[in-house]
Amino acid sequence: MNSKTIQTFADLPDEAISRLQYLQPQQGCLNRCSFCSQGAGSTVWQLSMNQLTWTIDSLSTEAARRGLKVGHDRSHKPGVLFPYLDNDIFSYRYLDHYIDLAFRKLGCRTRLVSVGFAEKSPIREIH
C-alpha cells in the first residue's frame, strides 16, 4: 500500500467512507456523445492496476480500522459502488479487477450501465 493514499483516507470524516457512492477509477470519456449532459473531457485519466489496488486496499484498511462499512450508510442503493459518473466505464481496462476488489475488499457490489459505442469510435477496438 502507498502511505500517501493511506493518509488521504485517514484524513476523511467517517461519513465520506460510510456513505461513499461513486469510486471512479477513470475520468474523462472518448465517446463524446452529443447527449451527455456532463460535458466530459476527451482526455482520459485512469488508475493503473497497482494504483487501483493501493486505493481499494487503503480504503479497506481505514474502514476496518474505524469499524465502518464502505457505502452502507445511505438510503440509495446501500453497499453498491458506482465506478463511473460522466464516462463509459466499459472502456476501463481493469474493470474486472475493480469489481473483484470492491466485492472482496470493501464488501460492495457494483452498478454498471453502458450506452454502447458508435461504429467509428476508437473504443470499439478495445472491446
Side-chain angles (χ1 to χ4, degrees), residues 28-36 40-42 44 86-91 114-118 120-124 127:
C29 185
L30 295 174
N31 279 349
R32 301 181 129 198
C33 300
S34 61
F35 58 82
C36 183
S42 60
V44 175
D86 61 356
N87 63 319
D88 193 320
I89 193 57
F90 288 96
S91 66
S114 177
V115 295
F117 307 106
K120 295 184 180 187
S121 171
I123 293 176
R124 283 187 60 134
H127 300 284

mmCIF file of all heavy atoms in Angstrom, residues 28-36 40-42 44 86-91 114-118 120-124 127:
data_model
loop_
_atom_site.group_PDB
_atom_site.id
_atom_site.type_symbol
_atom_site.label_atom_id
_atom_site.label_comp_id
_atom_site.label_asym_id
_atom_site.label_seq_id
_atom_site.Cartn_x
_atom_site.Cartn_y
_atom_site.Cartn_z
ATOM 1 N N GLY A 28 -12.998 11.218 -17.582
ATOM 2 C CA GLY A 28 -12.978 11.580 -18.997
ATOM 3 C C GLY A 28 -13.582 10.475 -19.841
ATOM 4 O O GLY A 28 -13.776 9.356 -19.376
ATOM 5 N N CYS A 29 -13.908 10.808 -21.063
ATOM 6 C CA CYS A 29 -14.557 9.833 -21.938
ATOM 7 C C CYS A 29 -14.217 10.153 -23.391
ATOM 8 O O CYS A 29 -14.306 11.307 -23.813
ATOM 9 C CB CYS A 29 -16.064 9.886 -21.720
ATOM 10 S SG CYS A 29 -16.972 8.634 -22.632
ATOM 11 N N LEU A 30 -13.855 9.128 -24.129
ATOM 12 C CA LEU A 30 -13.524 9.308 -25.540
ATOM 13 C C LEU A 30 -14.751 9.259 -26.444
ATOM 14 O O LEU A 30 -14.673 9.596 -27.619
ATOM 15 C CB LEU A 30 -12.534 8.231 -25.985
ATOM 16 C CG LEU A 30 -11.165 8.281 -25.319
ATOM 17 C CD1 LEU A 30 -10.330 7.077 -25.725
ATOM 18 C CD2 LEU A 30 -10.444 9.564 -25.675
ATOM 19 N N ASN A 31 -15.899 8.840 -25.911
ATOM 20 C CA ASN A 31 -17.089 8.699 -26.746
ATOM 21 C C ASN A 31 -17.598 10.022 -27.300
ATOM 22 O O ASN A 31 -18.068 10.086 -28.423
ATOM 23 C CB ASN A 31 -18.224 8.022 -25.975
ATOM 24 C CG ASN A 31 -18.064 6.532 -25.936
ATOM 25 O OD1 ASN A 31 -17.241 5.960 -26.631
ATOM 26 N ND2 ASN A 31 -18.851 5.881 -25.102
ATOM 27 N N ARG A 32 -17.569 11.085 -26.495
ATOM 28 C CA ARG A 32 -18.061 12.408 -26.876
ATOM 29 C C ARG A 32 -19.500 12.357 -27.395
ATOM 30 O O ARG A 32 -19.842 12.955 -28.410
ATOM 31 C CB ARG A 32 -17.141 13.061 -27.900
ATOM 32 C CG ARG A 32 -15.732 13.219 -27.386
ATOM 33 C CD ARG A 32 -14.850 13.892 -28.383
ATOM 34 N NE ARG A 32 -14.208 14.992 -27.658
ATOM 35 C CZ ARG A 32 -13.640 15.994 -28.204
ATOM 36 N NH1 ARG A 32 -13.612 16.113 -29.498
ATOM 37 N NH2 ARG A 32 -13.090 16.928 -27.485
ATOM 38 N N CYS A 33 -20.344 11.631 -26.689
ATOM 39 C CA CYS A 33 -21.756 11.512 -27.076
ATOM 40 C C CYS A 33 -22.430 12.877 -26.984
ATOM 41 O O CYS A 33 -22.250 13.604 -26.017
ATOM 42 C CB CYS A 33 -22.478 10.528 -26.163
ATOM 43 S SG CYS A 33 -21.761 8.863 -26.204
ATOM 44 N N SER A 34 -23.231 13.212 -27.973
ATOM 45 C CA SER A 34 -23.883 14.519 -28.001
ATOM 46 C C SER A 34 -24.927 14.676 -26.908
ATOM 47 O O SER A 34 -25.258 15.788 -26.524
ATOM 48 C CB SER A 34 -24.528 14.755 -29.368
ATOM 49 O OG SER A 34 -25.499 13.766 -29.607
ATOM 50 N N PHE A 35 -25.446 13.572 -26.364
ATOM 51 C CA PHE A 35 -26.487 13.651 -25.340
ATOM 52 C C PHE A 35 -25.930 13.719 -23.922
ATOM 53 O O PHE A 35 -26.684 13.861 -22.968
ATOM 54 C CB PHE A 35 -27.430 12.454 -25.450
ATOM 55 C CG PHE A 35 -26.728 11.138 -25.326
ATOM 56 C CD1 PHE A 35 -26.406 10.612 -24.082
ATOM 57 C CD2 PHE A 35 -26.380 10.422 -26.457
ATOM 58 C CE1 PHE A 35 -25.758 9.403 -23.974
ATOM 59 C CE2 PHE A 35 -25.724 9.213 -26.360
ATOM 60 C CZ PHE A 35 -25.418 8.702 -25.111
ATOM 61 N N CYS A 36 -24.639 13.620 -23.748
ATOM 62 C CA CYS A 36 -24.048 13.594 -22.408
ATOM 63 C C CYS A 36 -24.119 14.985 -21.776
ATOM 64 O O CYS A 36 -23.493 15.930 -22.247
ATOM 65 C CB CYS A 36 -22.602 13.123 -22.454
ATOM 66 S SG CYS A 36 -21.863 13.006 -20.812
ATOM 67 N N ALA A 40 -18.182 15.664 -20.419
ATOM 68 C CA ALA A 40 -16.925 15.009 -20.040
ATOM 69 C C ALA A 40 -15.804 15.417 -20.981
ATOM 70 O O ALA A 40 -16.003 15.552 -22.182
ATOM 71 C CB ALA A 40 -17.090 13.494 -20.072
ATOM 72 N N GLY A 41 -14.637 15.613 -20.431
ATOM 73 C CA GLY A 41 -13.478 15.946 -21.237
ATOM 74 C C GLY A 41 -13.076 14.782 -22.119
ATOM 75 O O GLY A 41 -13.367 13.626 -21.819
ATOM 76 N N SER A 42 -12.398 15.070 -23.199
ATOM 77 C CA SER A 42 -11.975 13.998 -24.100
ATOM 78 C C SER A 42 -10.630 13.409 -23.708
ATOM 79 O O SER A 42 -10.164 12.463 -24.324
ATOM 80 C CB SER A 42 -11.926 14.512 -25.541
ATOM 81 O OG SER A 42 -11.007 15.587 -25.631
ATOM 82 N N VAL A 44 -8.637 11.142 -21.187
ATOM 83 C CA VAL A 44 -8.967 10.103 -20.228
ATOM 84 C C VAL A 44 -7.794 9.908 -19.279
ATOM 85 O O VAL A 44 -6.662 9.738 -19.694
ATOM 86 C CB VAL A 44 -9.302 8.772 -20.935
ATOM 87 C CG1 VAL A 44 -9.533 7.656 -19.927
ATOM 88 C CG2 VAL A 44 -10.513 8.943 -21.830
ATOM 89 N N ASP A 86 -19.431 10.334 -15.297
ATOM 90 C CA ASP A 86 -19.553 11.029 -16.581
ATOM 91 C C ASP A 86 -18.707 10.369 -17.667
ATOM 92 O O ASP A 86 -18.224 11.014 -18.566
ATOM 93 C CB ASP A 86 -19.163 12.497 -16.430
ATOM 94 C CG ASP A 86 -17.720 12.666 -15.986
ATOM 95 O OD1 ASP A 86 -17.048 11.651 -15.717
ATOM 96 O OD2 ASP A 86 -17.264 13.812 -15.924
ATOM 97 N N ASN A 87 -18.558 9.075 -17.554
ATOM 98 C CA ASN A 87 -17.794 8.363 -18.571
ATOM 99 C C ASN A 87 -18.418 6.988 -18.771
ATOM 100 O O ASN A 87 -19.275 6.569 -18.016
ATOM 101 C CB ASN A 87 -16.325 8.226 -18.170
ATOM 102 C CG ASN A 87 -16.152 7.404 -16.908
ATOM 103 O OD1 ASN A 87 -16.907 7.527 -15.961
ATOM 104 N ND2 ASN A 87 -15.150 6.557 -16.880
ATOM 105 N N ASP A 88 -17.999 6.294 -19.791
ATOM 106 C CA ASP A 88 -18.468 4.926 -20.020
ATOM 107 C C ASP A 88 -17.445 3.990 -19.400
ATOM 108 O O ASP A 88 -16.334 3.837 -19.904
ATOM 109 C CB ASP A 88 -18.633 4.664 -21.512
ATOM 110 C CG ASP A 88 -19.413 3.396 -21.764
ATOM 111 O OD1 ASP A 88 -19.188 2.405 -21.045
ATOM 112 O OD2 ASP A 88 -20.253 3.392 -22.685
ATOM 113 N N ILE A 89 -17.807 3.377 -18.298
ATOM 114 C CA ILE A 89 -16.870 2.571 -17.520
ATOM 115 C C ILE A 89 -16.352 1.353 -18.279
ATOM 116 O O ILE A 89 -15.303 0.815 -17.960
ATOM 117 C CB ILE A 89 -17.501 2.149 -16.174
ATOM 118 C CG1 ILE A 89 -16.436 1.589 -15.218
ATOM 119 C CG2 ILE A 89 -18.634 1.156 -16.382
ATOM 120 C CD1 ILE A 89 -15.294 2.531 -14.922
ATOM 121 N N PHE A 90 -17.035 0.940 -19.332
ATOM 122 C CA PHE A 90 -16.583 -0.240 -20.057
ATOM 123 C C PHE A 90 -15.316 -0.003 -20.879
ATOM 124 O O PHE A 90 -14.765 -0.929 -21.451
ATOM 125 C CB PHE A 90 -17.714 -0.810 -20.913
ATOM 126 C CG PHE A 90 -18.759 -1.473 -20.073
ATOM 127 C CD1 PHE A 90 -19.897 -0.782 -19.691
ATOM 128 C CD2 PHE A 90 -18.586 -2.764 -19.610
ATOM 129 C CE1 PHE A 90 -20.851 -1.375 -18.891
ATOM 130 C CE2 PHE A 90 -19.533 -3.367 -18.799
ATOM 131 C CZ PHE A 90 -20.677 -2.672 -18.436
ATOM 132 N N SER A 91 -14.829 1.215 -20.920
ATOM 133 C CA SER A 91 -13.540 1.464 -21.566
ATOM 134 C C SER A 91 -12.384 1.326 -20.569
ATOM 135 O O SER A 91 -11.226 1.423 -20.957
ATOM 136 C CB SER A 91 -13.515 2.850 -22.218
ATOM 137 O OG SER A 91 -13.587 3.862 -21.234
ATOM 138 N N SER A 114 -23.965 0.911 -19.634
ATOM 139 C CA SER A 114 -23.211 1.399 -20.786
ATOM 140 C C SER A 114 -24.184 1.892 -21.843
ATOM 141 O O SER A 114 -25.297 1.386 -21.955
ATOM 142 C CB SER A 114 -22.348 0.278 -21.371
ATOM 143 O OG SER A 114 -21.674 0.728 -22.522
ATOM 144 N N VAL A 115 -23.747 2.872 -22.610
ATOM 145 C CA VAL A 115 -24.576 3.379 -23.700
ATOM 146 C C VAL A 115 -24.176 2.763 -25.035
ATOM 147 O O VAL A 115 -24.800 3.009 -26.038
ATOM 148 C CB VAL A 115 -24.509 4.927 -23.804
ATOM 149 C CG1 VAL A 115 -25.098 5.554 -22.565
ATOM 150 C CG2 VAL A 115 -23.094 5.393 -24.042
ATOM 151 N N GLY A 116 -23.130 1.981 -25.045
ATOM 152 C CA GLY A 116 -22.657 1.391 -26.289
ATOM 153 C C GLY A 116 -21.687 2.323 -26.995
ATOM 154 O O GLY A 116 -21.366 3.403 -26.511
ATOM 155 N N PHE A 117 -21.218 1.920 -28.153
ATOM 156 C CA PHE A 117 -20.194 2.668 -28.857
ATOM 157 C C PHE A 117 -20.577 2.891 -30.303
ATOM 158 O O PHE A 117 -21.122 1.998 -30.949
ATOM 159 C CB PHE A 117 -18.865 1.913 -28.802
ATOM 160 C CG PHE A 117 -18.457 1.544 -27.406
ATOM 161 C CD1 PHE A 117 -18.544 0.234 -26.964
ATOM 162 C CD2 PHE A 117 -18.007 2.510 -26.524
ATOM 163 C CE1 PHE A 117 -18.183 -0.096 -25.668
ATOM 164 C CE2 PHE A 117 -17.642 2.188 -25.236
ATOM 165 C CZ PHE A 117 -17.735 0.879 -24.805
ATOM 166 N N ALA A 118 -20.276 4.067 -30.788
ATOM 167 C CA ALA A 118 -20.515 4.384 -32.189
ATOM 168 C C ALA A 118 -19.618 3.505 -33.064
ATOM 169 O O ALA A 118 -18.536 3.094 -32.657
ATOM 170 C CB ALA A 118 -20.218 5.862 -32.444
ATOM 171 N N LYS A 120 -17.648 4.104 -35.479
ATOM 172 C CA LYS A 120 -16.298 4.592 -35.770
ATOM 173 C C LYS A 120 -15.534 5.015 -34.518
ATOM 174 O O LYS A 120 -14.460 5.587 -34.611
ATOM 175 C CB LYS A 120 -16.379 5.759 -36.747
ATOM 176 C CG LYS A 120 -16.917 5.308 -38.088
ATOM 177 C CD LYS A 120 -16.926 6.421 -39.098
ATOM 178 C CE LYS A 120 -17.484 5.880 -40.405
ATOM 179 N NZ LYS A 120 -17.402 6.808 -41.479
ATOM 180 N N SER A 121 -16.061 4.710 -33.345
ATOM 181 C CA SER A 121 -15.402 5.071 -32.084
ATOM 182 C C SER A 121 -14.145 4.229 -31.902
ATOM 183 O O SER A 121 -14.164 3.011 -32.094
ATOM 184 C CB SER A 121 -16.341 4.849 -30.898
ATOM 185 O OG SER A 121 -15.634 4.996 -29.699
ATOM 186 N N PRO A 122 -13.025 4.867 -31.502
ATOM 187 C CA PRO A 122 -11.800 4.098 -31.247
ATOM 188 C C PRO A 122 -11.964 3.135 -30.065
ATOM 189 O O PRO A 122 -11.233 2.166 -29.948
ATOM 190 C CB PRO A 122 -10.756 5.160 -30.943
ATOM 191 C CG PRO A 122 -11.522 6.392 -30.576
ATOM 192 C CD PRO A 122 -12.824 6.293 -31.282
ATOM 193 N N ILE A 123 -12.947 3.348 -29.233
ATOM 194 C CA ILE A 123 -13.171 2.481 -28.080
ATOM 195 C C ILE A 123 -13.636 1.094 -28.509
ATOM 196 O O ILE A 123 -13.360 0.104 -27.858
ATOM 197 C CB ILE A 123 -14.183 3.118 -27.096
ATOM 198 C CG1 ILE A 123 -13.550 4.367 -26.485
ATOM 199 C CG2 ILE A 123 -14.598 2.159 -26.008
ATOM 200 C CD1 ILE A 123 -14.443 5.144 -25.578
ATOM 201 N N ARG A 124 -14.321 1.000 -29.637
ATOM 202 C CA ARG A 124 -14.783 -0.310 -30.121
ATOM 203 C C ARG A 124 -13.628 -1.278 -30.277
ATOM 204 O O ARG A 124 -13.776 -2.467 -30.043
ATOM 205 C CB ARG A 124 -15.499 -0.154 -31.450
ATOM 206 C CG ARG A 124 -16.896 0.394 -31.304
ATOM 207 C CD ARG A 124 -17.577 0.366 -32.619
ATOM 208 N NE ARG A 124 -17.637 -1.008 -33.111
ATOM 209 C CZ ARG A 124 -18.712 -1.548 -33.611
ATOM 210 N NH1 ARG A 124 -19.797 -0.857 -33.724
ATOM 211 N NH2 ARG A 124 -18.696 -2.775 -34.038
ATOM 212 N N HIS A 127 -12.749 -3.296 -27.197
ATOM 213 C CA HIS A 127 -13.657 -4.376 -26.821
ATOM 214 C C HIS A 127 -13.700 -5.451 -27.867
ATOM 215 O O HIS A 127 -14.270 -6.453 -27.716
ATOM 216 C CB HIS A 127 -15.046 -3.810 -26.571
ATOM 217 C CG HIS A 127 -15.020 -2.787 -25.473
ATOM 218 N ND1 HIS A 127 -14.933 -3.115 -24.163
ATOM 219 C CD2 HIS A 127 -14.995 -1.437 -25.520
ATOM 220 C CE1 HIS A 127 -14.888 -2.031 -23.421
ATOM 221 N NE2 HIS A 127 -14.922 -0.995 -24.217
#
